[in-house]
Amino acid sequence: KQEVTQIPAALSVPEGENLVLNCSFTDSAIYNLQWFRQDPGKGLTSLLLIQSSQREQTSGRLNASLDKSSGRSTLYIAASQPGDSATYLCAVMVKGSGNTGKLIFGQGTTLQVKP
Amino acid sequence: NAGVTQTPKFQVLKTGQSMTLQCAQDMNHEYMSWYRQDPGMGLRLIHYSVGAGITDQGEVPNGYNVSRSTTEDFPLRLLSAAPSQTSVYFCASRMQPGSGYTFGSGTRLTVV
């Protein structure tokens, strides 16, 4: 059974720091991995999608990497800003689930960037 | 704006009442799904659809029904609301296998 773990559960950093959020998964049979951002009381906003054949994806100050063989992904945020404060979720789309396209989510990392 | 639209945003129900959560997308996505988000449990799949007329159960389907008469709409019906269904419900869609999901803004449901 696929399990997704995100460490740390919470992180507080001063503005301007570069930081790394970690995501690990137990089964490498995935189609892709997606990073989301969720603001309090809001929906999920997609940040980056990495296909299983890719190693990394970049969007602005965000860079996500994927090492399928070791079951790990990292989300790197450069020059963090208070507006980056949110919960970050990673999710893997599992293979072997037929047409489900089921996403398995981690519990998230809640990030606070202090001015 | 293109995307996934969910209504209502908030709802309070009494135990035993029924209601329908609406979900619509204008991106011509074939795949649509319903998830619920609970503290400590994360997001879990309720039902999904791979196209108009085709639906199937996810991880936690009990107490919910779905139908998919059009590509655009994927409503979620609570048959007889229970306090255990208090949750935040998200609808999501994607174009094809392997593509990323787009999520709606959610419906926060409280059953008293």
Side-chain angles (χ1 to χ4, degrees):
Chain A
K1 180 183 175 182
Q2 178 74 269
E3 293 183 359
V4 179
T5 304
Q6 291 186 246
I7 295 174
L11 183 62
S12 181
V13 300
E15 181 177 5
E17 270 203 11
N18 302 324
L19 58 100
V20 174
L21 306 181
N22 296 294
C23 173
S24 62
F25 48 96
T26 56
D27 188 344
S28 62
I30 64 171
Y31 285 114
N32 56 49
L33 184 145
Q34 197 166 359
W35 282 94
F36 295 91
R37 168 187 172 139
Q38 186 175 29
D39 294 289
K42 303 293 185 182
L44 280 69
T45 300
S46 180
L47 297 174
L48 290 165
L49 171 71
I50 309 177
Q51 300 295 340
S52 62
S53 59
Q54 297 175 324
R55 296 286 293 183
E56 66 178 320
Q57 284 287 332
T58 298
S59 176
R61 294 183 294 108
L62 305 179
N63 176 277
S65 68
L66 175 64
D67 185 342
K68 199 173 63 168
S69 61
S70 67
R72 294 183 180 181
S73 176
T74 61
L75 179 66
Y76 174 82
I77 302 177
S80 58
Q81 304 170 356
D84 295 329
S85 298
T87 296
Y88 291 81
L89 297 162
C90 74
V92 297
M93 188 181 297
V94 298
K95 284 187 177 179
S97 58
N99 271 327
T100 311
K102 179 179 178 180
L103 291 177
I104 305 293
F105 283 85
Q107 294 289 331
T109 294
T110 299
L111 171 66
Q112 182 183 32
V113 181
K114 297 180 178 179
Chain B
N1 291 336
V4 179
T5 302
Q6 291 185 239
T7 56
K9 293 190 182 302
F10 302 94
Q11 183 70 49
V12 178
L13 286 179
K14 293 182 179 179
T15 297
Q17 286 185 319
S18 63
M19 79 160 296
T20 299
L21 280 63
Q22 302 292 343
C23 175
Q25 52 89 11
D26 58 2
M27 299 172 284
N28 202 33
H29 285 176
E30 290 294 327
Y31 288 70
M32 297 186 75
S33 306
W34 277 100
Y35 288 81
R36 60 178 287 174
Q37 185 176 35
D38 302 290
M41 302 294 290
L43 285 109
R44 293 177 292 170
L45 181 65
I46 305 171
H47 283 287
Y48 67 97
S49 169
V50 300
I54 307 170
T55 64
D56 207 342
Q57 297 179 350
E59 188 180 353
V60 287
N62 292 340
Y64 308 95
N65 272 356
V66 292
S67 61
R68 184 98 179 269
S69 57
T70 67
T71 300
E72 295 77 20
D73 299 301
F74 190 43
L76 178 72
R77 298 183 189 84
L78 279 69
L79 308 174
S80 177
S84 61
Q85 294 179 304
T86 293
S87 186
V88 182
Y89 292 85
F90 289 103
C91 180
S93 72
R94 63 183 174 97
M95 174 61 76
Q96 60 191 0
S99 63
Y101 274 94
T102 299
F103 277 74
S105 58
T107 294
R108 187 173 297 272
L109 175 69
T110 302
V111 182
V112 297

